[in-house]
């Protein structure tokens, strides 16, 4: 049994506003173990982003418990690069925030950027990069502090289809080769199947895990290859039914 | 700092650039031509006696008035007085406004408590404070400074506060997920992302500062361009009024231009 990086036990969360309360999660239990790539799919507005905020510790659960081992890095739908910083400075941002801007850490982050094709853009500003490149820079920024767990909130959904396939491929490659644990939120079923070791299906709001599947594809991890494999459409059908049934 | 452009362009692009250049030249010559036309008409209509030069003055009379102010040695005294009041008032208003906006951003409770007060002070016509200002500050330049500051500071506060509050929620979430403190949110995100708003606030406040200083001089002063305007009006020397107004135009334009320069300097690195 591998070490569990994240453990949700019977978590519920209620948002309180002046107009009333919204139950965003109830009886939510799941775990993510080390080195695993877990995708979470669910209908829109069911509480997926809430789940990530809970995992990141930005929200406290109303009841239940959340255990997380190690640090986490959060990646959002849009790249959220700061337009007044160069790509290099953007990548150093989490190091600055966490007061870890040592020479060693800077070099490591820089090396990551170079390794994954951003070397020529380090001194550019975000506005000079394409959407795909920017999202890649956002991932390198997330990896700069070497987090143990990556939390990805629909990181590809703002990209056009072609770019999206390419960036998905890149990001999968980067996450796998850096040996990271990842929790990916998406509402795109095929994205979940092409990327994940395990898929969790959430119910409509309040979110709860209704189904859970381990995807194998004979050890194949590359999203493009998976998309071409025979099992792919079968999984798609199953998940589609579970999501809509 | 401009590097020589050594790129080679297609014929079509060269044509485009040429056309653009010609367009800019046209706009500028029309601008200057319009000014010359208006000044010429003004001068001509007074020379030919269509209108009474005593009432509307004329470009040549303005030039003469300015020259005689210069000979009397009071020209730069008046300009200096108003300019000093305006610049110092501007600086104080901007600094205090920025500081108050920061404080209000920092504490939501304080912001909510003070909100109605700010709205009311903003709506109040500051000229209504004239008598109070005279009594509190006397008739020296501190009264005028106070007027300049009070006119500008609320605008500066409201402008910056709304920019601070509009800081991108997702970027705040991102920083918080990195474990950022409130001070870090401020220095890494809120302040840098509000730089364009800061520049536009400066532009607005250039105008506010001139309104404040001239209005202050209307009420209390014994020197300055606003004083010349009031005095000229009282003794019916419209040449003096027009001359002072003209100088104000030039100074205000100059100050605005300086802000634009600052903008080029500051924003150069942030956006392309
Ligand atoms: N800060 C908040 N205050 C009050 N209600 C909220 C807040 N954030 C989210 N909600 C509500 O909680 C529910 C779940 O929101 P959440 O953003 O987690 O859903 P989601 O699955 O990420 O949605 P989407 O598919 O649109 O990304 C929604 O009904 C939303 O309106
Ligand atoms: Mg969401």
């Amino acid at each position: 049994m591998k070490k569990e990086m994240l453990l949700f036990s019977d978590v519920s969360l209620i948002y309180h506003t002046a107009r009333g309360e919204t139950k965003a999660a109830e009886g939510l239990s799941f775990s993510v173990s080390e080195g695993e790539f877990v995708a979470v799919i669910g209908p829109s507005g069911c509480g997926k982003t809430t789940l990530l905020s809970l995992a990141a510790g930005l929200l406290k659960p109303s009841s239940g418990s959340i255990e997380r081992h190690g640090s986490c890095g959060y990646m959002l739908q849009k790249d959220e690069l700061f337009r007044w910083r160069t790509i290099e400075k953007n990548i150093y941002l989490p190091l600055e925030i966490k007061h870890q801007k040592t020479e060693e850490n800077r070099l490591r982050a820089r090396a990551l950027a170079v390794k994954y094709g951003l070397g020529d853009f380090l001194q550019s500003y975000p506005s000079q990069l394409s959407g795909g490149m920017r999202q890649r820079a956002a991932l390198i920024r997330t990896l700069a502090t070497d987090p143990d767990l990556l939390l990805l909130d629909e990181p590809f959904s703002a990209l056009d289809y072609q770019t999206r396939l390419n960036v998905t491929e890149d990001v999968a490659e980067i996450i796998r080769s850096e040996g990271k644990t990842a929790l990916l939120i998406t509402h795109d079923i095929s994205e979940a199947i092409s990327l994940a070791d395990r898929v969790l299906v959430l119910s409509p709001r309040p979110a709860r895990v209704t189904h859970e599947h381990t995807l194998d594809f004979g050890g194949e991890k590359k999203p493009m290859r998976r998309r071409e494999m025979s099992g792919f459409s079968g999984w798609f059908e199953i998940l589609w039914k579970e999501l809509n049934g | 700092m401009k590097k020589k452009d050594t790129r080679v362009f297609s014929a079509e692009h060269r044509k485009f650039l040429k056309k653009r250049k010609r367009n800019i030249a046209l706009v500028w010559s029309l601008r200057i031509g319009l000014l010359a036309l208006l000044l010429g008409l003004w001068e001509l209509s007074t020379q030919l006696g269509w209108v009474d030069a005593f009432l509307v003055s004329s470009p040549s009379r303005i030039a003469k008035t300015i020259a005689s102010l210069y000979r009397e040695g009071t020209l730069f005294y008046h300009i200096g007085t108003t300019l000093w009041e305006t610049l110092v008032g501007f600086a104080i208003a901007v600094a205090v406004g920025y500081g108050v906006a920061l404080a209000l951003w920092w504490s939501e409770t304080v912001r909510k408590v003070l909100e109605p007060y700010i709205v009311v002070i903003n709506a109040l016509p500051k000229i209504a404070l004239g008598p109070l200002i005279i009594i509190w500050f006397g008739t020296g330049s501190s009264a005028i400074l106070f007027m300049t500051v009070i006119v500008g500071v609320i605008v500066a506060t409201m402008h910056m506060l709304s920019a601070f509050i509009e800081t991108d929620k997702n970027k705040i979430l991102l920083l918080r997920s990195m474990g950022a403190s409130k001070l870090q949110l401020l220095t890494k995100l809120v302040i840098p992302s509000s730089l364009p708003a800061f520049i536009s606030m400066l532009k607005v406040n250039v105008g506010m500062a001139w309104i404040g200083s001239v209005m202050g001089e209307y009420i209390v002063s014994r020197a300055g361009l606003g004083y010349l305007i009031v005095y000229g009006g009282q003794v019916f020397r419209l040449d003096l009024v027009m001359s002072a107004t003209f100088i104000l135009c030039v100074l205000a334009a100059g100050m605005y231009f300086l802000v634009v320069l600052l903008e080029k300097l500051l924003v150069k690195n942030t956006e392309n």
Side-chain angles (χ1 to χ4, degrees):
Chain A
M1 188 74 201
K2 272 195 175 172
K3 183 173 137 197
E4 272 170 1
M5 301 295 289
L6 183 68
L7 180 64
F8 273 54
S9 321
D10 202 20
V11 170
S12 72
L13 183 110
I14 302 172
Y15 284 113
H16 300 277
T17 62
R19 263 190 273 120
E21 50 183 351
T22 309
K23 208 170 242 179
E26 190 172 34
L28 184 60
S29 304
F30 67 91
S31 68
V32 179
S33 44
E34 192 172 11
E36 214 184 3
F37 197 129
V38 176
V40 177
I41 57 174
S44 87
C46 74
K48 301 186 292 296
T49 299
T50 305
L51 184 155
L52 276 199
S53 297
L54 285 165
L58 296 173
L59 289 174
K60 292 270 160 288
S62 303
S63 69
S65 75
I66 298 171
E67 276 176 61
R68 196 184 78 211
H69 299 282
S71 58
C72 68
Y74 206 132
M75 187 170 165
L76 293 93
Q77 197 173 87
K78 293 212 212 106
D79 54 71
E80 306 299 352
L81 295 168
F82 290 5
R83 64 170 194 280
W84 56 89
R85 283 174 172 245
T86 59
I87 295 299
E88 182 175 21
K89 292 266 169 60
N90 263 294
I91 288 171
Y92 295 157
L93 181 67
L95 296 176
E96 287 171 29
I97 298 293
K98 294 185 176 169
H99 303 293
Q100 298 174 356
K101 205 176 168 185
T102 60
E103 190 60 25
E104 185 192 344
N105 284 337
R106 261 212 317 260
L107 285 177
R108 214 183 48 78
R110 205 168 191 284
L112 266 182
V114 172
K115 182 172 168 192
Y116 296 113
L118 286 167
D120 294 338
F121 299 102
L122 285 173
Q123 301 314 321
S124 307
Y125 287 91
S127 59
Q128 296 167 314
L129 269 64
S130 67
M133 273 300 186
R134 293 168 61 132
Q135 205 56 352
R136 200 188 298 197
L139 177 66
I140 303 297
R141 177 185 59 195
T142 313
L143 293 171
T145 50
D146 201 14
D148 302 302
L149 174 65
L150 294 178
L151 303 170
L152 313 169
D153 193 356
E154 309 199 30
F156 313 118
S157 60
L159 303 170
D160 64 80
Y161 188 69
Q162 195 60 41
T163 313
R164 185 174 181 160
L165 288 183
N166 288 328
V167 174
T168 306
E169 197 75 14
D170 291 348
V171 166
E173 157 76 25
I174 296 172
I175 291 175
R176 297 281 188 194
S177 63
E178 298 301 315
K180 293 294 175 194
T181 311
L183 181 61
L184 169 83
I185 300 289
T186 176
H187 58 242
D188 182 336
I189 298 172
S190 58
E191 192 170 284
I193 305 169
S194 67
L195 279 166
D197 301 318
R198 197 148 56 86
V199 178
L200 309 177
V201 183
L202 297 184
S203 65
R205 192 171 62 79
R208 189 172 46 79
V209 178
T210 55
H211 301 85
E212 185 178 337
H213 303 282
T214 302
L215 309 180
D216 186 20
F217 288 100
E220 181 57 67
K221 305 279 190 196
K222 282 201 159 54
M224 282 300 184
R225 296 256 179 77
R226 279 191 176 193
R227 282 174 190 271
E228 289 157 4
M229 290 171 80
S230 56
F232 193 88
S233 58
W235 277 119
F236 190 95
E237 227 165 281
I238 293 170
L239 290 172
W240 195 84
K241 276 193 189 125
E242 288 173 355
L243 204 51
N244 294 282
Chain B
M1 294 245 284
K2 259 186 194 161
K3 267 185 260 161
K4 184 119 181 70
D5 199 341
T6 51
R7 287 169 300 173
V8 183
F9 295 120
S10 68
E12 188 173 321
H13 191 69
R14 282 200 301 273
K15 220 156 120 194
F16 164 81
L17 287 179
K18 212 166 152 193
K19 198 169 156 200
R20 190 168 164 271
K21 223 170 168 180
R22 222 182 300 141
N23 211 336
I24 293 173
L26 180 73
V27 168
W28 268 105
S29 46
L30 283 179
R31 274 178 189 163
I32 294 167
L34 184 65
L35 182 69
L37 182 75
L38 288 176
L39 290 179
L41 268 179
W42 187 4
E43 184 66 38
L44 196 70
S45 55
T46 51
Q47 294 282 346
L48 296 179
W50 297 344
V51 290
D52 190 349
F54 180 69
L55 287 180
V56 300
S57 189
S58 75
S60 61
R61 292 173 73 132
I62 289 175
K64 264 184 231 144
T65 310
I66 294 178
S68 79
L69 280 175
Y70 176 69
R71 256 180 279 113
E72 286 163 24
T74 54
L75 177 66
F76 289 111
Y77 170 62
H78 289 299
I79 290 180
T81 305
T82 305
L83 198 58
W84 184 83
E85 291 158 356
T86 310
L87 290 178
V88 175
F90 173 80
I92 295 175
V94 166
V96 172
Y98 201 94
V100 171
L102 281 181
L104 294 181
W105 174 83
W106 192 275
S107 163
E108 198 178 338
T109 312
V110 173
R111 179 163 82 235
K112 284 195 174 136
V113 170
L114 293 185
E115 206 164 28
Y117 294 91
I118 291 175
V119 170
V120 169
I121 296 175
N122 182 48
L124 179 79
K126 312 300 175 291
I127 191 95
L129 300 174
L132 282 183
I133 291 177
I134 294 174
I135 292 164
W136 291 344
F137 291 91
T139 54
S141 50
S142 57
I144 299 166
L145 260 186
F146 183 78
M147 187 56 119
T148 313
V149 171
I150 196 100
V151 167
V153 74
I154 302 290
V155 176
T157 303
M158 292 176 68
H159 204 108
M160 288 324 296
L161 181 60
S162 72
F164 292 158
I165 289 175
E166 273 161 30
T167 306
D168 191 328
K169 296 283 175 296
N170 283 327
K171 291 202 169 61
I172 292 177
L173 181 77
L174 180 78
L175 282 189
R176 288 218 301 128
S177 81
M178 296 172 188
S181 65
K182 197 156 191 176
L183 186 64
Q184 284 178 322
L185 275 185
L186 190 67
T187 55
K188 303 286 179 195
L189 175 61
V190 174
I191 290 178
S193 72
S194 64
L195 184 64
F198 177 66
I199 300 284
S200 69
M201 182 272 276
L202 288 186
K203 285 179 183 170
V204 173
N205 258 39
V206 167
M208 288 297 158
W210 288 104
I211 291 175
S213 62
V214 171
M215 204 156 79
E217 287 180 355
Y218 276 14
I219 319 175
V220 297
S221 79
R222 283 177 240 107
L225 296 165
Y227 161 77
L228 283 186
I229 293 175
V230 174
Y231 171 75
Q234 282 166 351
V235 301
F236 240 76
R237 280 180 59 195
L238 276 297
D239 292 338
L240 199 55
V241 174
M242 288 295 193
S243 301
T245 310
F246 172 76
I247 296 170
L248 273 179
C249 280
V250 174
L251 291 178
M255 196 166 154
Y256 187 85
F257 178 72
L258 283 181
V259 174
V260 173
L261 226 87
L262 180 74
E263 174 176 23
K264 289 232 166 86
L265 222 70
L266 286 179
V267 181
K268 179 183 64 185
N269 284 327
T270 68
E271 264 149 306
N272 304 84

